Amino acid sequence: MSLENIISVQGKSGLFEIVSKSKLNILIKDLETGKKITISTQTNVILISNITVFTDNEEDIKIQQIFVSIYNKEKEGDIVSYKDEASTLFEYFSHVLPTFDRKRVYHSDLKKIFRWYEILKSNNIIEELVENSLKPESLEE
């Protein structure tokens, strides 16, 4: 499973995998509960692979790179939860992405990023991202 089929659905918490699509509906699976539900194709959804985080310089960073950085920080023994206080999340994130734009990245954004990270990690998707980030092709991007 890759991030290409993982979405966030407006009005629902968590992350979902696209199972199948029809002209009118999308069958999705909740990555936390495993339950499948149908949503309308008119529902606002965001592909996780399209999300970027604002930085102080011109280049925004893809969320995949952030997940890999969080994974590497965890390997050093530093772990944070989306339930932690705002100051803790901002401090931790400043080590993950030192150039993030503190004026445009909010506490709610960080909570979402860390919650998504935990969901993806529990579904073994983070390890796949880390493996793919080490391949020579991805280093050329």
Side-chain angles (χ1 to χ4, degrees):
M1 185 184 328
S2 71
L3 286 188
E4 298 305 316
N5 290 326
I6 307 297
I7 60 173
S8 172
V9 178
Q10 184 177 15
K12 298 189 179 298
S13 65
L15 292 175
F16 301 85
E17 177 186 10
I18 298 173
V19 177
S20 66
K21 295 185 222 179
S22 70
K23 193 171 186 176
L24 300 174
N25 298 311
I26 305 171
L27 179 63
I28 58 175
K29 180 176 90 170
D30 187 316
L31 290 179
E32 289 180 289
T33 65
K35 292 182 181 178
K36 292 181 181 176
I37 59 172
T38 303
I39 59 171
S40 166
T41 54
Q42 302 299 312
T43 305
N44 285 339
V45 300
I46 300 170
L47 280 170
I48 297 303
S49 59
N50 290 340
I51 295 176
T52 60
V53 174
F54 297 116
T55 63
D56 291 332
N57 52 29
E58 297 291 318
E59 185 179 329
D60 295 337
I61 303 296
K62 290 186 173 207
I63 199 158
Q64 296 93 311
Q65 293 172 279
I66 299 207
F67 290 148
V68 170
S69 293
I70 293 170
Y71 176 85
N72 290 332
K73 184 123 178 81
E74 280 189 347
K75 283 178 59 178
E76 297 172 5
D78 293 334
I79 297 175
V80 71
S81 169
Y82 72 94
K83 296 177 183 176
D84 288 342
E85 293 182 22
S87 59
T88 304
L89 294 180
F90 276 103
E91 174 67 25
Y92 190 91
F93 201 71
S94 69
H95 294 289
V96 170
L97 181 62
T99 60
F100 82 96
D101 188 335
R102 286 161 175 75
K103 293 178 185 168
R104 297 192 294 171
V105 177
Y106 302 104
H107 176 236
S108 59
D109 299 325
L110 295 183
K111 284 182 72 161
K112 209 175 278 187
I113 289 170
F114 287 113
R115 176 145 190 249
W116 289 349
Y117 176 84
E118 290 176 15
I119 293 169
L120 294 171
K121 187 174 180 189
S122 68
N123 283 274
N124 300 316
I125 299 170
I126 295 297
E127 287 76 11
E128 183 181 323
L129 283 175
V130 170
E131 287 176 21
N132 289 337
S133 74
L134 298 176
K135 291 183 180 176
E137 314 87 67
S138 65
L139 296 176
E140 295 172 6
E141 294 177 1

